[in-house]
Amino acid sequence: MTVHESSQTVEIDFVARRYLAGGGDPAWITVPLHRACGWSHGHDPLMPRVILSSPDQKALLRLEPDPDSAWWTIQHAASPDRPAWYASFGARTPVEIIAAFTDALTAPTGDVADAWDPLAPLRDAGWSPTTQDNRLASPDGTVRVDLHEATGTWWVTTTLNQAQRPVWQAHFSEHTPPHLITAFTTALTDPTPLARISTVDSLPTRDPHLVTHTRAEVRASQIAFVLEDRVRTLAARHKTPTAPPGLPRRPSADPRHTPSSPPPPPPPPPPAPPRLPSPHGHPRRRRPPVPPRLAVRQPHRLPHRAPLGALPADHRPAPPRPALAQRW
């Protein structure tokens, strides 16, 4: 990978055929499983391995760099309608093809019916059968897909030469859901090139008849957010959809009122009482109602006292003066 600081671009190699593009970045699988699908990690930070378990604790993914066995293994516990199963992938299996398997495994609306045919995408892509039954080979002869009917297992093997060890190999045990294997074979035949930021020296082969790579300059910001976009896309599958606008309103408590009919009118006021005839021949006018009288607090009165007796002479009031005679 070459970074041009002046233009902020990165040189990316787009490799085809994709099954010969190399392993790629394992974060393409592990990060979305943890951040978008809720898988928890329980690996030892002092050990060079990754262990992720599904939220229901029925599936376990293990990534362990073992040169003598598969690097990727997925184990699934038994369920009421299916026995336990497992899948494994070699170190150089492209992570984009493995991600198709894990994306189908974590899909909230996955179709687990047995009507899927994992060989159908291969036939549609022009893969030809070999001398053995239930075996298809890629047009360049580097990949074989085998179904062992006796054991019910699937094998996908990529080789450059029959005398050499396989470049990578995938194995699906008996009872692996067919829709997961179909997702894997569909991604296997996808003609879209895979982006690699490493040099072409890491490719399993540089034979131009088998592998073609095109180098292009891509903005560094675009490369940095590709994984984030994948996480957001997968996380959106698990969100509860909100009610779209325009749905009928919630019915009211009045059973007579429905969303399609207007609310009932208010009841009419009670009729006024008839006027009584007046004895004077005129209609009697109704007097306005008299408001209730408020209780008036009475002033405090002293208790009655008996007279103290006759007053002394000097304290008696003077008699009234006689009126003067009127002059004539």
Side-chain angles (χ1 to χ4, degrees), residues 163-178:
Q164 299 177 358
R165 296 184 58 180
V167 176
W168 59 267
Q169 194 172 45
H171 174 57
F172 305 100
S173 71
E174 186 182 9
H175 307 303
T176 301

Side-chain angles (χ1 to χ4, degrees), residues 36-90:
C37 305
W39 287 43
S40 58
H41 58 82
H43 59 278
D44 187 349
L46 301 180
M47 297 293 294
R49 62 186 179 188
V50 177
I51 299 177
L52 295 173
S53 57
S54 61
D56 58 3
Q57 301 298 314
K58 291 184 178 181
L60 182 70
L61 179 141
R62 181 189 297 267
L63 171 59
E64 189 168 5
D66 187 354
D68 298 328
S69 62
W71 281 36
W72 299 86
T73 57
I74 299 176
Q75 298 175 339
H76 199 283
S79 58
D81 57 345
R82 186 175 298 276
W85 57 269
Y86 74 92
S88 62
F89 310 94

Side-chain angles (χ1 to χ4, degrees), residues 62-277:
R62 181 189 297 267
L63 171 59
E64 189 168 5
D66 187 354
D68 298 328
S69 62
W71 281 36
W72 299 86
T73 57
I74 299 176
Q75 298 175 339
H76 199 283
S79 58
D81 57 345
R82 186 175 298 276
W85 57 269
Y86 74 92
S88 62
F89 310 94
R92 287 191 170 184
T93 308
V95 294
E96 293 83 355
I97 302 178
I98 303 176
F101 184 92
T102 57
D103 291 351
L105 175 63
T106 57
T109 58
D111 188 357
V112 297
D114 291 336
W116 291 84
D117 183 11
L119 297 178
L122 305 177
R123 299 190 189 98
D124 296 341
W127 291 38
S128 57
T130 62
T131 56
Q132 298 182 5
D133 296 336
N134 297 323
R135 170 182 287 187
L136 294 178
S138 61
D140 57 7
T142 58
V143 185
R144 299 191 316 272
V145 178
D146 302 307
L147 169 60
H148 296 178
E149 292 184 350
T151 59
T153 59
W154 291 79
W155 294 86
V156 181
T157 307
T158 301
T159 57
L160 299 176
N161 189 341
Q162 298 297 331
Q164 299 177 358
R165 296 184 58 180
V167 176
W168 59 267
Q169 194 172 45
H171 174 57
F172 305 100
S173 71
E174 186 182 9
H175 307 303
T176 301
H179 76 284
L180 302 182
I181 306 177
T182 304
F184 184 88
T185 56
T186 301
L188 184 66
T189 58
D190 189 351
T192 305
L194 298 181
R196 292 292 183 261
I197 59 176
S198 58
T199 61
V200 294
D201 295 336
S202 61
L203 297 178
T205 180
R206 295 163 59 177
D207 187 350
H209 297 90
L210 299 177
V211 176
T212 60
H213 62 91
T214 303
R215 181 162 298 180
E217 293 186 358
V218 182
R219 289 181 301 174
S221 58
Q222 181 179 355
I223 298 299
F225 289 102
V226 168
L227 181 59
E228 295 298 328
D229 292 340
R230 168 170 163 79
V231 171
R232 285 191 295 266
T233 301
L234 295 180
R237 304 182 308 173
H238 300 273
K239 293 182 179 179
T240 303
T242 57
L247 292 180
R249 295 180 298 176
R250 182 179 180 180
S252 60
D254 191 352
R256 298 173 300 172
H257 179 209
T258 60
S260 59
S261 61
R275 294 183 178 183
L276 299 178

Side-chain angles (χ1 to χ4, degrees), residues 277-283:
S278 173
H280 303 287
H282 300 285

